[in-house]
Amino acid sequence: MRPVSIIGVGQTPVGEHWQKSLRELAVEAVQAALADAGVERPDALFAGNMLSGGLCEQENLATLVADFSGFPGIEALKIEAACASGGAVVRAAHMVVASGAHDLVVAVGVEKMTDLGGDGVTSGLATAADADYEAAHGITFTALNALLMRLYMERYGYARRDFSPFVITAHENGVHNPQAMFREAIDEKDFLDSPMVAEPISILDSSPVCDGAAAVVLCPTEKARSFTERPVQILASATATDTIGLGPRKDPLWFESAYLSAQRVYQQAGVSPKDINFFELHDAFTIVSALSLEACGFAERGQGVRFAQECNIHRNGKLPISTQGGLKARGHPVGASGTYQILEVVDQLRGRAGEAQLGNVRIGMAQSIGGMASVAVTHLLGVEV
Amino acid sequence: MNLPRYRRLQPAFYRLQAARCTACRQVHFPSRTRCLGCGSASMEPVRLSGQGRVLSFARMLHAARGFQDSVGSLTALIELREGVRLVAQLTDVEPDGIGIGQEVEMVLRRLRSDAEQGLIVYGYKFRPVLKRQAGAQAQS
């Protein structure tokens, strides 16, 4: 296996794109990433996406995107891992370049969610759970997360308001990201007053339904400097799974997939959590942020919420998270979110994050979680200083 | 939901049919062909008691397509006597009549009435255990 670097990134703004289709979003991000990398034609294209079939009646998605990007003929495949599809597509592209199968690969995460009504999207998202034993019983994805949130509050003695720092921080950071869906700060009162989706989860515990596409271009590290002065190396890349349903787990409040994929990247890169400068985590719901911090070793069990309350997650804290708004404020176009995370880590490490730029960062981590953390994809990216 | 799928699911949906490992005796719901505990591939069908308690619950204020009747209903994570956990809807429960630790029992109820091919889908839900009146047994 050879080292792999990212040499270019591109994205569309995240939001409700009434004038743009699935293919237009994907092609726009691909073209922007290739232009940033100075690459005319990639050897292969991978498309990360969760719901193109269910929401847009379009499968064979990677072929479509390769075609309309101007590259019919190249190898192109769709990668699906529920809400972790955007991380999984970078993982797949990484394996392909690392193995030597291709040199120049573009990974694009894309999701078009807003054409359908709310109940259609809710049904689509529920397909990430166990279709026969969860979704077929009318149990929504938000309800499953709400079960975890109540259990967490009960076991560790937290109130709903204790989760507000995750949301306030994400919105604060989103203000500085011109591509973010929400660029408005909110306060604790906004959080407490927001209406319930699946009690105890409110609309402000949750990330929004939206559209967007993000793309990155990968090549062997040894060739990266011929494309850009500031490549970002993929220091480690790993995926892990857990049971698809919540029921069979020993402890529903432990994200084994997030733990395993984090351990794998720490081992690959020879680092520990204290070496990570910032973390783009999967803040689809506030409870997921807390459990992700615990699984990755940044907080003890039951301390993920306290870790946030103690200001560690702010841009000047010990471990800045959601530095450009996260899934909460940048937005969560599900199959694209993991690729946005990678792009944002790359921007931070290249010093190109604009007003959201963190000072003195060398190693960034991104973790994309799918289903009820039944799958997690984790990446470590780094630059030489 | 469609007819062939519904027919395949009926043992689980109607009777909580599960699988028990013949080696380590661990019970699995949904049924699986290889034991998560010991790795054995020798499993036998077993019917669960349907008696358990609520570990957590959530009130759904939005529903998926086809489940409009579920708006306002409660979903729970339930641990059955056999040690098996599952997620199911609660029924026959007052708005504030549920708490963590509540004893519940399985009942067969309608899950949805407008599935494909005109199917009405029935399956397990759980309700608070009905308390027998003191002395009711002796009088009957």
Side-chain angles (χ1 to χ4, degrees):
Chain A
M1 300 283 269
R2 53 185 181 170
V4 176
S5 291
I6 292 174
I7 53 173
V9 300
Q11 64 183 314
T12 72
V14 180
E16 297 176 344
H17 285 283
W18 301 112
Q19 303 301 329
K20 285 181 187 165
S21 66
L22 178 71
R23 86 180 69 184
E24 289 166 321
L25 291 166
V27 168
E28 189 176 319
V30 167
Q31 300 291 10
L34 291 172
D36 185 37
V39 170
E40 279 193 13
R41 184 182 173 88
D43 301 325
L45 179 147
F46 291 83
N49 171 269
M50 175 179 173
L51 293 167
S52 67
L55 299 188
C56 303
E57 301 177 5
Q58 179 70 62
E59 289 296 7
N60 205 2
L61 176 66
T63 301
L64 173 83
V65 177
D67 175 4
F68 279 78
S69 296
F71 315 122
I74 66 170
E75 178 166 3
L77 297 167
K78 171 171 166 171
I79 304 292
E80 189 274 324
C83 316
S85 301
V89 72
V90 178
R91 167 70 179 143
H94 173 260
M95 287 193 284
V96 164
V97 177
S99 72
H102 288 297
D103 273 354
L104 282 169
V105 175
V106 57
V108 56
V110 60
E111 206 75 68
K112 175 74 188 166
M113 304 175 77
T114 60
D115 281 359
L116 245 64
D119 62 340
V121 174
T122 301
S123 296
L125 293 173
T127 61
D130 187 320
D132 288 343
Y133 296 93
E134 292 173 335
H137 297 257
I139 295 159
T140 64
F141 204 65
T142 313
L144 291 169
N145 281 280
L147 292 174
L148 294 190
M149 186 168 173
R150 190 185 301 276
L151 189 60
Y152 190 94
M153 290 161 68
E154 174 81 8
R155 186 189 292 177
Y156 300 118
Y158 289 107
R160 235 184 65 71
R161 75 164 63 222
D162 298 327
F163 290 79
S164 68
F166 289 117
V167 182
I168 293 167
T169 302
H171 275 259
E172 259 171 31
N173 293 342
V175 170
H176 304 299
N177 177 4
Q179 311 295 332
M181 181 168 186
F182 299 127
R183 303 191 64 196
E184 241 172 82
I186 64 157
D187 58 24
E188 189 185 69
K189 186 175 184 312
D190 298 325
F191 175 73
L192 291 174
D193 291 348
S194 60
M196 290 291 160
V197 184
E199 196 183 346
I201 286 182
S202 82
I203 193 103
L204 282 184
D205 284 291
S206 320
S207 48
V209 169
C210 51
D211 311 321
V216 297
V217 184
L218 291 75
C219 84
T221 298
E222 62 185 15
K223 295 182 181 170
R225 287 201 185 272
S226 63
F227 292 97
T228 173
E229 284 177 8
R230 202 128 173 91
V232 171
Q233 193 176 336
I234 299 178
L235 303 176
S237 171
T239 302
T241 53
D242 196 355
T243 62
I244 193 157
L246 268 188
R249 297 188 189 168
K250 285 195 186 87
D251 182 357
L253 292 182
W254 179 249
F255 281 177
E256 182 74 6
S257 64
Y259 167 75
L260 289 174
S261 63
Q263 291 301 314
R264 286 170 194 170
V265 295
Y266 296 154
Q267 198 176 7
Q268 285 173 29
V271 302
S272 70
K274 66 173 168 28
D275 300 314
I276 314 295
N277 299 132
F278 65 105
F279 182 24
E280 293 301 336
L281 53 59
H282 193 85
D283 54 338
F285 298 100
T286 51
I287 181 64
V288 178
S289 300
L291 294 176
S292 172
L293 287 169
E294 293 171 22
C296 295
F298 295 111
E300 296 291 317
R301 283 196 194 206
Q303 298 297 309
V305 168
R306 189 140 298 125
F307 185 83
Q309 287 176 302
E310 289 168 353
C311 299
N312 293 307
I313 62 171
H314 289 159
R315 49 185 295 110
N316 299 318
K318 194 160 56 171
L319 184 75
I321 68 167
S322 312
T323 68
Q324 301 196 49
L327 278 58
K328 176 70 202 76
R330 172 242 296 136
H332 184 24
V334 287
S337 289
T339 321
Y340 274 98
Q341 291 178 321
I342 299 285
L343 174 153
E344 288 159 0
V345 173
V346 168
D347 275 350
Q348 290 285 9
L349 293 172
R350 288 171 124 187
R352 288 195 191 172
E355 287 177 36
Q357 185 65 47
L358 302 169
N360 200 23
V361 284
R362 204 172 59 81
I363 299 180
M365 177 156 140
Q367 182 171 70
S368 187
I369 290 178
M372 289 307 294
S374 48
V375 54
V377 186
T378 308
H379 283 94
L380 287 178
L381 282 73
V383 280
E384 295 163 18
V385 180
Chain B
M1 187 59 72
N2 51 56
L3 189 55
R5 182 179 165 203
Y6 184 37
R7 288 294 293 267
R8 288 193 299 271
L9 287 168
Q10 280 171 0
F13 276 28
Y14 288 2
R15 297 187 290 279
L16 287 177
Q17 183 168 301
R20 181 167 56 202
C21 174
T22 61
C24 75
R25 312 300 286 171
Q26 189 177 337
V27 179
H28 301 280
F29 184 85
S31 293
R32 55 178 72 223
T33 52
R34 188 169 285 274
C35 180
L36 271 184
C38 73
S40 164
S42 175
M43 310 289 273
E44 59 188 5
V46 59
R47 189 175 164 182
L48 299 175
S49 65
Q51 306 282 323
R53 66 191 175 94
V54 169
L55 297 182
S56 185
F57 62 96
R59 184 177 304 282
M60 293 194 293
L61 299 162
H62 290 264
R65 186 163 285 173
F67 290 96
Q68 294 316 313
D69 294 352
S70 299
V71 172
S73 72
L74 289 166
T75 288
L77 177 64
I78 294 161
E79 184 165 84
L80 299 179
R81 258 189 210 160
E82 295 86 348
V84 170
R85 293 195 211 109
L86 53 82
V87 178
Q89 284 201 42
L90 297 177
T91 187
D92 298 356
V93 52
E94 295 300 315
D96 296 317
I98 202 76
I100 288 173
Q102 169 78 51
E103 304 250 334
V104 290
E105 61 191 1
M106 179 212 157
V107 285
L108 188 64
R109 287 296 162 87
R110 194 182 62 208
L111 296 180
R112 61 185 294 186
S113 49
D114 60 346
E116 293 103 279
Q117 300 159 308
L119 273 181
I120 300 173
V121 179
Y122 289 86
Y124 53 83
K125 291 189 184 182
F126 286 78
R127 70 177 174 200
V129 172
L130 299 177
K131 290 207 172 62
R132 287 214 176 81
Q133 268 185 301
Q137 204 73 33
Q139 285 163 9
S140 62

